[in-house]
Amino acid sequence: MTEPRQTDRPSLGQYDYIIVGGGTAGCLLANRLSANPKTRVLLLEAGGRDNWIWFHIPVGYLFAIGNPRADWMFETVDEAGLNGRRLAYPRGKVLGGCSAINAMITMRGQKADYDHWRQLGLPGWGSDDVWPVFRTLEDHFLGPSEHHGKGGEWRVEAPRLSWPILDAIADAAEEMGIEKLNDFNTGDNEGSGPFHVNQKRGVRWSAARGFLKPVLKRPNLRVETGVLVDRLILEGRAVRGVTFRQKGEWKQALADGETVLSAGAIGSVQILHRSGIGPGERLQAAGVALAHELPGVGANLQDHLQQRAIYRVSSTRTLNETYHSLLGKARMGLEYALFRRGPLTMAPSQLGIFTRSDPGRERANIEFHVQPLSLDRFGEPLHRFPAITVSACNLRPTSRGSVAIASPDPEARPVIAPNYLATEDDRRVAADAIGLTRKLMARSALARHQPAEILPGPDIGDSEAALVRAAGDIGTTIFHPVGTAKMGRGDDPMAVTDARLRVRGLSGLRVIDASVMPTIPSGNTNTPTLMIAEKGARMMLSG
């Protein structure tokens, strides 16, 4: 379709704030920025409404990930560190974004992560600055304390079911000297315990449910779905709004105040690149004229790569058997319908273990996601034999990848190159993680369940070279891309945003989502993204 001239495009009008992306950050921003009834706010989401049952029943991630109704269905390039494999790269395609399809794990990371941000020259981002923000957001089942809040929009609950096999794994970890915890979010998450989840009485609690839906009736807030934003409207170095396609029609919207990109570590980069903002040579190669040179746009991609080890088990139950049983499915459905309990309420990972890949590490650098199920990949059926998945990921990878556009076409898929296992340190941690998994599964607490290694497989040796090769064969994303429009000091040539999330060298534009993280937190990234959005909203409202 030929794009009309800007003056010929229908306009949605003028707003004080335009928010591009109705995901985790965008839902919170829409709530906060529209609180003043005199402020006109427009929220644009490329996906649809969250009116599908599997967006709300927690186990729906099994059906949402890998489904074009809910997932952008992105892929990486062929990755050398993964022995030439490419990975599916799920991203939420719905109001609520990834919070509508993710694992529902509420995790802040470690206080040292944010103190490191402050040490990078980012005032206002240390642990003392962000911990009160986390508390403000929460409605936590543990009640108010120095770590948790009550009455916020982000509901946090305990899991609503238990699995004896996971209790046995926690006992095995304790045999290895890993203490049991009841809360990973007090600043140092080293230990093992149940993950707390974003649910309310057995229903997924997405950012749309928590932050957007309660304010949809505000007359000063307009929400449009099915909107594919093409580019920013630039007048010199000032951003005046956005152009987009909706139902096959080109349109525009203008901002009297600020435009905010909250489309995530992939989507925000795509819009910046199509607008001519980014590394000049790469944009020109993609057929886009350079408007503003910012070499860091799309660089610094970080993600948590997990090594998905699978073990067959006995003398215990897992979700695999229930999934393939008509009676089991009926029992699950009835338990959920009557009590909002049972396997339909489960996050994919129930048990977490945070530990060190080797004793020389100063803090926990490995996170295990332990699941009472197994499958080849999300979007495919569970295995027909009883099994568990013990996934270990490197919390602080040193490899850096990139995101870029391939052409100016807004419907073209991005070029996602995570560059996994590109550094010696990452390869060593991956090998050590598989070795730790094997040691964990060999503990006496698990002996009665006779865990038998399926992946990477008993034929894989214990040498570092063999384990690195195995990590490349079984490694996959844990869906935590960040860093592609990172915050940084003025003397950092790769910084895209400043500490107040303003895009460098431009007025009227901020990026407020996971892409601004300079380094990845030591844990799951959804709740930190909400914290960034809350701080970003406060910055915008304070001028």
Side-chain angles (χ1 to χ4, degrees):
M1 178 183 292
T2 303
E3 181 180 357
R5 294 174 301 172
Q6 182 175 323
T7 54
D8 296 333
R9 301 185 194 113
S11 176
L12 290 190
Q14 291 190 276
Y15 300 85
D16 296 291
Y17 301 116
I18 296 174
I19 305 163
V20 180
T24 298
C27 286
L28 184 147
L29 288 166
N31 179 304
R32 301 298 192 252
L33 298 179
S34 66
N36 182 343
K38 296 181 180 179
T39 302
R40 302 158 298 165
V41 179
L42 174 64
L43 175 64
L44 302 174
E45 164 57 34
R49 301 273 173 174
D50 63 341
N51 54 3
W52 186 34
I53 189 172
W54 293 118
F55 288 135
H56 307 293
I57 297 178
V59 82
Y61 62 85
L62 286 172
F63 310 104
I65 294 175
N67 186 322
R69 177 172 183 168
D71 181 357
W72 281 103
M73 307 289 289
F74 292 151
E75 287 186 329
T76 69
V77 301
D78 297 342
E79 284 280 295
L82 302 185
N83 303 328
R85 293 185 301 125
R86 62 176 54 196
L87 301 179
Y89 217 70
R91 297 284 85 200
K93 187 183 179 183
V94 61
L95 283 173
C98 291
S99 73
I101 68 171
N102 70 1
M104 296 163 285
I105 293 171
T106 186
M107 184 68 60
R108 299 175 183 177
Q110 300 164 1
K111 284 189 173 182
D113 300 327
Y114 304 102
D115 290 336
H116 177 60
W117 290 9
R118 185 188 62 236
Q119 291 159 8
L120 291 174
L122 298 170
W125 292 98
S127 63
D128 291 343
D129 304 301
V130 305
W131 231 246
V133 179
F134 283 123
R135 287 200 303 270
T136 297
L137 293 170
E138 284 183 341
D139 183 24
H140 204 286
F141 77 99
L142 290 175
S145 68
E146 65 172 310
H147 298 296
H148 296 299
K150 190 73 173 174
E153 297 96 335
W154 197 227
R155 180 62 185 168
V156 181
E157 295 189 348
R160 296 173 73 84
L161 78 167
S162 62
W163 298 87
I165 184 62
L166 300 187
D167 295 337
I169 293 172
D171 291 341
E174 193 169 37
E175 288 182 13
M176 294 176 65
I178 302 170
E179 295 184 4
K180 292 180 180 178
L181 297 179
N182 64 2
D183 186 358
F184 286 124
N185 288 306
T186 62
D188 177 6
N189 50 20
E190 189 163 7
S192 76
F195 284 122
H196 297 164
V197 293
N198 297 118
Q199 295 181 14
K200 187 167 185 177
R201 294 190 291 273
V203 176
R204 176 187 287 272
W205 197 254
S206 70
R209 183 179 286 269
F211 295 94
L212 185 61
K213 289 185 176 181
V215 301
L216 278 177
K217 292 185 178 179
R218 288 177 180 170
N220 62 322
L221 172 62
R222 181 171 181 175
V223 178
E224 293 286 335
T225 57
V227 172
L228 186 58
V229 171
D230 179 24
R231 64 187 72 135
L232 302 164
I233 298 172
L234 283 166
E235 294 181 4
R237 290 288 184 262
V239 174
R240 300 302 187 193
V242 296
T243 66
F244 56 91
R245 286 207 307 241
Q246 185 181 35
K247 296 180 179 179
E249 184 179 11
W250 285 100
K251 300 179 184 179
Q252 65 179 357
L254 303 177
D256 292 332
E258 291 187 275
T259 298
V260 187
L261 295 182
S262 296
I266 310 301
S268 290
V269 170
Q270 290 176 281
I271 295 166
L272 288 166
H273 279 187
R274 288 196 296 267
S275 304
I277 301 168
E281 288 187 12
R282 189 149 195 179
L283 297 187
Q284 290 164 12
V288 176
L290 179 66
H292 180 57
E293 177 79 33
L294 272 180
V297 177
N300 194 48
L301 173 63
Q302 298 156 65
D303 188 16
H304 289 140
L305 181 74
Q306 61 176 336
Q307 282 75 53
R308 291 183 64 249
I310 295 175
Y311 285 80
R312 190 167 188 150
V313 292
S314 61
S315 303
T316 189
R317 62 186 174 90
T318 72
L319 187 62
N320 289 14
E321 308 95 282
T322 304
Y323 178 89
H324 288 288
S325 163
L326 290 177
L327 181 60
K329 288 180 178 178
R331 188 182 297 115
M332 282 195 301
L334 187 62
E335 189 175 11
Y336 187 78
L338 293 178
F339 308 112
R340 291 291 187 266
R341 290 189 177 275
L344 292 186
T345 70
M346 65 180 282
S349 302
Q350 304 274 287
L351 175 70
I353 303 173
F354 290 81
T355 188
R356 308 173 196 217
S357 60
D358 67 72
R361 305 280 169 170
E362 67 177 48
R363 53 191 170 107
N365 69 317
I366 291 288
E367 177 182 7
F368 283 92
H369 291 79
V370 190
Q371 305 166 358
L373 58 87
S374 67
L375 70 171
D376 289 333
R377 60 185 60 85
F378 284 106
E380 296 189 5
L382 303 188
H383 293 146
R384 288 188 172 273
F385 50 84
I388 58 173
T389 302
V390 187
S391 290
C393 70
N394 181 354
L395 290 172
R396 292 185 295 281
T398 54
S399 299
R400 296 292 183 267
S402 65
V403 175
I405 59 169
S407 82
D409 182 357
E411 294 187 359
R413 290 193 167 206
V415 180
I416 302 172
N419 203 27
Y420 294 122
L421 302 180
T423 66
E424 182 179 350
D425 187 67
D426 285 358
R427 292 189 291 273
R428 182 181 304 113
V429 172
D432 289 344
I434 296 175
L436 271 175
T437 304
R438 287 176 165 176
K439 291 176 183 177
L440 175 68
M441 301 310 291
R443 306 306 296 189
S444 61
L446 287 167
R448 66 182 296 264
H449 300 299
Q450 299 178 307
E453 185 176 321
I454 305 297
L455 279 180
D459 56 327
I460 303 297
D462 289 324
S463 71
E464 182 170 318
L467 294 179
V468 168
R469 176 78 187 182
D473 287 336
I474 68 172
T476 188
T477 175
I478 209 161
F479 321 135
H480 296 164
V482 308
T484 51
K486 73 168 186 172
M487 293 185 280
R489 300 189 318 183
D491 59 355
D492 181 351
M494 299 301 288
V496 176
T497 53
D498 63 15
R500 295 185 64 81
L501 310 180
R502 299 170 296 201
V503 175
R504 294 194 174 277
L506 298 173
S507 63
L509 179 64
R510 299 192 201 224
V511 179
I512 303 179
D513 57 29
S515 66
V516 304
M517 297 181 185
T519 54
I520 194 166
S522 301
N524 309 68
T525 53
N526 193 241
T527 294
T529 300
L530 276 177
M531 177 274 293
I532 289 169
E534 176 71 16
K535 284 182 63 68
R538 295 178 187 181
M539 292 170 180
M540 292 179 69
L541 292 171
S542 67

